Amino acid sequence: MKSLFTANNAWVNGRELRRNTAIVVENGCIEDVISRETLPTDLSAFSVHKADFLFPGFINSHCHLEYSFMEGRLPRGDSDFDTWLNAIYMLKRDLGDAEYAQSTRDGINRSLAGGTTTVIDTVHRAAAAPVLADSPIRYVLFWEVIAVKDEWAAGEMGRLEERFAMPRGARCVNVGVSPHAPYTVGPELRRLLREFFGKHPDVPAAWHLSETAAEFRLFAEGLGPIVDFYAKRE
């Protein structure tokens, strides 16, 4: 059965507001956009949905849904980068797979409630992937890899290979790799990633690159709170 969405107002083609519009959808794809006045009297062949305002879903182009539980629990305002990074580290440290899965689920539900229908989600914990696969949201999943020390690199790449083999949901657009950041991907992991992308040239990649003043200072001077943060954890 086709779906019919009727709306008093509809934003069409990203540039036009139409009044009294009907949108015909079949198999998840828009088949036609017509005036509501031209609809047949008998609509029994359709699953009918009514709205006052209809517009395309938003796309969240970078998120970490598994960290939704952190809302309101991180320092804000004038806190320095080291304090903020340490707070994230402490919140993540003892969290289990069930909590990460629920946090991902909460993030998806809140995204949909706010009109976001597609997310580009950077994921570090495998528990988040089945939640995305079973959800109604469209998604691109970037598996995050982190290995500051060279002895961690082989294990991280082994986990990446396993995760690429995990089932993907029907609404999965693509799966890629996110080497977290230049300061969390050590020389050995970079070498292994070059080999990986050489074997899989069509796999997309995404980095966190110079998002804060602390990162600029790290790259420019080799100093600052990021250096201090990791020095405390040697």
Side-chain angles (χ1 to χ4, degrees):
M1 178 178 287
K2 296 181 180 182
S3 295
L4 182 69
F5 294 85
T6 65
N8 296 328
N9 308 276
W11 188 252
V12 180
N13 297 325
R15 60 179 181 273
E16 180 184 355
L17 181 65
R18 294 187 188 179
R19 310 288 185 183
N20 299 319
T21 299
I23 298 175
V24 182
V25 176
E26 185 173 16
N27 296 323
C29 296
I30 296 176
E31 184 181 272
D32 202 1
V33 180
I34 57 179
S35 169
R36 194 161 55 184
E37 298 173 354
T38 63
L39 289 173
T41 304
D42 182 11
L43 299 178
S44 59
F46 299 94
S47 171
V48 180
H49 310 270
K50 297 180 180 180
D52 181 49
F53 202 110
L54 194 63
F55 56 90
F58 297 120
I59 298 173
N60 187 334
S61 60
H62 181 87
C63 59
H64 298 263
L65 294 176
E66 62 192 31
Y67 298 152
S68 300
F69 74 96
M70 293 186 184
E71 183 183 14
R73 302 174 68 182
L74 294 174
R76 300 175 67 88
D78 296 331
S79 296
D80 57 45
F81 186 80
D82 182 58
T83 301
W84 180 81
L85 195 60
N86 188 65
I88 292 177
Y89 176 83
M90 297 302 292
L91 285 171
K92 291 169 56 176
R93 188 179 57 176
D94 300 322
L95 214 66
D97 286 347
E99 289 87 354
Y100 276 111
Q102 184 58 50
S103 186
T104 302
R105 195 173 294 112
D106 291 343
I108 291 170
N109 291 338
R110 290 163 61 186
S111 297
L112 292 170
T116 295
T117 56
T118 302
V119 296
I120 301 176
D121 192 21
T122 302
V123 179
H124 190 67
R125 296 293 288 256
V131 179
L132 282 164
D134 291 340
S135 78
I137 205 162
R138 295 175 72 244
Y139 66 96
V140 177
L141 188 158
F142 279 94
W143 284 115
E144 188 173 65
V145 290
I146 297 174
V148 180
K149 297 182 179 181
D150 286 351
E151 55 265 35
W152 300 346
E156 190 74 349
M157 289 303 297
R159 285 186 287 273
L160 178 64
E161 296 283 359
E162 293 173 0
R163 290 171 178 181
F164 255 81
M166 293 179 69
R168 304 176 184 183
R171 299 180 70 78
C172 178
V173 178
N174 206 347
V175 176
V177 178
S178 176
H180 174 257
Y183 58 92
T184 54
V185 175
E188 179 62 11
L189 182 54
R190 289 198 295 272
R191 185 187 69 79
L192 293 174
L193 284 168
R194 285 195 297 270
E195 291 181 0
F196 177 88
F197 286 117
K199 295 176 183 176
H200 307 283
D202 295 329
V203 171
W207 287 69
H208 297 85
L209 185 62
S210 296
E211 295 180 308
T212 65
E215 289 171 285
F216 277 110
R217 188 177 180 199
L218 170 69
F219 301 142
E221 304 173 20
L223 300 171
I226 296 177
V227 175
D228 298 338
F229 176 83
Y230 283 105
K232 295 174 184 176
R233 287 162 180 79
E234 283 295 334

